[in-house]
């Protein structure tokens, strides 16, 4: 062993030899709380603005648009869809707006599409929206459920967008992409964000397609082996799944549970299911007698479990927790206390 190696070992062990603690690190600060904003019209209610104030939110991840691929006369074309519209309300003062672009995997699977053109058009639209509303962009987040066959193209697109824009980039990462990163690859971004939701089967009559602990447990132990620090995205949303004779008809998000329970057209069967008792129109949809609405949400108990499991299994405490998503109904439907996540974040200390 060289003298240099010996000196290194002595320096590493010196605190222990002096009686200092070598078994525990200093507690880290609680992570920053951020929100996704996932609507096509940007307009904050007073309630939503209060949430930003309570958590001293520094970043708001705003879905700017989706990118899909369409066929025109046998030719593929990538097109933006559901482009956000800002009303006269300015972005919250002191809050950084981070554009989020949702990219259908079919876009990355289509090898006839030019990634150079896609990156250029994507950044032009992001810039156009931002400049129109005097929003200064420092980073962009991409949301794409890439596969083994499309992953490299997504990574190449990410590189091109970063070079073209000159801003930081982030990407959502699904649980399966974290567990099997040696196969699926690691996105070349500044900030990978673990998407800890949408993990169940939406067609299942039982369970919760938003979050299932039994499914999460199949991935949790692999989190510590992911070679990059992860921010985490945690669900706070709910939705209603409309089924008829066991077949899914439609999914309704951002709908009021109070409004449903006040409707004479439905009977509450239990805490999960509501049954249509008449043929009628509700939420702009025709319901037949016997149709079911399944209510899926994240309870406070679920949140405790999610935060505790992530706190136990992540390789390092996340610097940021992004809640999906900022909507007054998400708090009133679940009857969350407004400051509930201050308490939950203690699991990351």
């Amino acid at each position: 062993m060289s003298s240099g190696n010996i000196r290194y070992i002595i320096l590493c062990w010196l605190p222990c030899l002096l009686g200092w603690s070598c078994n525990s690190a200093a507690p880290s600060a609680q992570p920053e709380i951020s929100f996704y904003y996932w609507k096509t019209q940007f307009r904050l209610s007073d309630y939503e603005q209060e949430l930003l104030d309570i958590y001293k939110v520094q970043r708001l991840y705003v879905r700017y648009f989706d990118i899909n691929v369409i066929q025109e006369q046998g030719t593929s074309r990538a097109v933006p869809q559901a482009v956000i519209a800002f009303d006269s309300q300015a972005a919250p003062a002191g809050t950084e707006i981070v554009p989020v672009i949702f990219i259908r995997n079919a876009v990355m699977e289509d090898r006839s599409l030019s990634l150079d053109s896609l990156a250029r058009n994507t950044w032009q639209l992001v810039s156009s929206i931002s400049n129109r509303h005097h929003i200064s962009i420092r980073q962009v987040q991409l949301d794409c459920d890439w596969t083994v066959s499309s992953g490299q193209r997504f990574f190449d697109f990410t590189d091109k967008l970063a070079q073209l824009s000159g801003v930081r980039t982030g990407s959502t990462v699904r649980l399966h992409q974290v567990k099997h990163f040696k196969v699926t690859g690691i996105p070349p971004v500044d900030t990978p964000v673990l998407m800890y939701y949408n993990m169940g089967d939406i067609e299942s009559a039982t369970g919760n397609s938003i979050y299932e602990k039994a499914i999460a447990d199949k991935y949790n132990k692999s989190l510590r082996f992911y070679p990059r620090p992860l921010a985490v995205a945690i669900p706070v949303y709910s939705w209603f799944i409309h089924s008829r004779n066991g077949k899914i008809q439609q999914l309704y998000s951002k709908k009021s549970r109070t409004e449903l329970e006040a409707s004479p057209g439905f009977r509450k069967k239990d805490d999960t299911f509501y049954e249509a008792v008449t043929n009628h129109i509700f939420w702009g949809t025709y319901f037949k007698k016997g149709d079911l609405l399944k209510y899926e949400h994240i309870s406070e108990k679920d949140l405790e479990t999610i935060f505790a499991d992530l706190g136990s299994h992540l390789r390092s405490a996340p610097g940021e927790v992004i809640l999906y998503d900022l909507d007054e109904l998400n708090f009133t439907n679940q009857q969350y206390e407004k400051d509930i996540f201050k308490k939950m974040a203690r699991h990351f200390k």
Side-chain angles (χ1 to χ4, degrees):
M1 182 180 291
S2 70
S3 60
N5 287 338
I6 294 172
R7 284 197 299 271
Y8 175 77
I9 292 173
I10 292 174
L11 287 172
C12 288
W13 279 93
L14 185 58
C16 300
L17 295 174
L18 293 176
W20 299 347
S21 172
C22 298
N23 296 321
S24 60
S28 59
Q30 287 193 352
E32 294 179 7
I33 298 293
S34 304
F35 281 92
Y36 282 105
Y37 189 91
W38 216 263
K39 304 176 188 177
T40 55
Q41 186 80 23
F42 186 88
R43 181 186 297 118
L44 297 180
S45 70
D46 291 341
Y47 188 106
E48 290 159 0
Q49 181 60 60
E50 185 180 358
L51 289 174
L52 298 183
D53 295 337
I54 287 173
Y55 292 104
K56 298 180 174 59
V57 171
Q58 298 183 30
R59 276 172 297 279
L60 193 56
Y61 292 79
V62 179
R63 189 207 62 85
Y64 264 36
F65 53 88
D66 302 344
I67 301 177
N68 204 352
V69 61
I70 62 172
Q71 300 293 324
E72 289 183 342
Q73 299 179 341
T75 302
S76 298
R77 187 161 67 91
V79 296
Q81 296 177 335
V83 179
I84 193 166
F86 284 77
D87 65 8
S88 58
Q89 179 190 47
T95 303
E96 177 189 353
I97 297 296
V98 179
V100 182
I101 298 97
F102 174 73
I103 306 172
R104 302 280 179 185
N105 186 50
V107 176
M108 294 300 153
E109 292 279 8
D110 194 326
R111 297 183 177 276
S112 70
L113 295 173
S114 165
L115 294 182
D116 289 312
S117 296
L118 183 62
R120 183 172 58 253
N121 293 338
T122 298
W123 180 241
Q124 284 179 349
L125 184 51
V126 169
S127 298
S128 175
I129 295 170
S130 302
N131 293 338
R132 193 181 314 137
H133 300 286
H134 310 289
I135 298 171
S136 178
I137 299 303
R138 287 181 278 177
Q139 59 178 310
V140 173
Q141 187 182 103
L142 304 174
D143 182 14
C144 179
D145 189 6
W146 76 87
T147 61
V148 173
S149 60
S150 65
Q152 190 56 56
R153 274 178 59 82
F154 174 64
F155 300 160
D156 290 344
F157 167 76
T158 301
D159 275 335
K160 292 177 184 295
L161 184 63
Q163 293 168 15
L164 185 65
S165 66
V167 302
R168 293 171 59 84
T169 56
S171 171
T172 54
V173 186
R174 274 69 174 174
L175 281 167
H176 70 91
Q177 293 161 342
V178 169
K179 182 173 183 178
H180 304 294
F181 70 89
K182 292 182 180 179
V183 177
T184 60
I186 299 172
V189 296
D190 298 289
T191 309
V193 180
L194 173 63
M195 199 179 88
Y196 204 74
Y197 49 88
N198 286 2
M199 57 182 71
D201 182 2
I202 200 169
E203 296 189 357
S204 174
T206 59
N208 186 337
S209 64
I210 298 173
Y211 165 73
E212 280 280 3
K213 177 168 171 54
I215 295 175
D217 282 344
K218 296 178 181 179
Y219 298 91
N220 284 335
K221 290 182 180 179
S222 65
L223 297 181
R224 69 180 68 251
F225 299 109
Y226 196 70
R228 297 284 309 281
L230 290 162
V232 294
I234 291 176
V236 297
Y237 65 95
S238 62
W239 56 29
F240 297 88
I241 303 170
H242 174 196
S243 64
R244 179 177 297 157
N245 299 322
K247 295 183 178 179
I248 304 297
Q249 303 296 305
Q250 197 165 340
L251 186 149
Y252 305 88
S253 60
K254 304 188 185 303
K255 298 295 185 182
S256 169
R257 190 181 188 188
T258 300
E259 180 185 15
L260 173 62
E261 293 187 346
S263 170
F266 290 91
R267 174 179 68 91
K268 183 177 181 179
K269 297 185 67 176
D270 52 38
D271 288 339
T272 302
F273 286 97
Y274 299 82
E275 181 180 12
V277 295
T278 61
N279 298 337
H280 67 290
I281 302 291
F282 188 71
W283 290 338
T285 301
Y286 177 70
F287 285 86
K288 291 182 65 175
K289 182 179 180 179
D291 283 4
L292 293 177
L293 280 172
K294 181 186 179 187
Y295 176 59
E296 293 189 340
H297 69 292
I298 302 299
S299 67
E300 184 170 342
K301 181 179 179 181
D302 290 331
L303 288 173
E304 283 282 4
T305 302
I306 289 171
F307 274 81
D309 282 347
L310 288 173
S312 297
H313 293 290
L314 284 170
R315 185 176 184 176
S316 59
E320 184 176 22
V321 171
I322 313 174
L323 304 177
Y324 183 86
D325 64 330
L326 181 63
D327 191 304
E328 182 173 339
L329 281 173
N330 291 334
F331 277 71
T332 55
N333 275 349
Q334 278 83 261
Q335 298 181 332
Y336 293 151
E337 296 178 1
K338 288 180 182 177
D339 64 348
I340 184 174
F341 296 101
K342 290 184 177 180
K343 176 177 65 175
M344 298 295 175
R346 74 186 187 280
H347 291 290
F348 292 134
K349 278 191 172 183

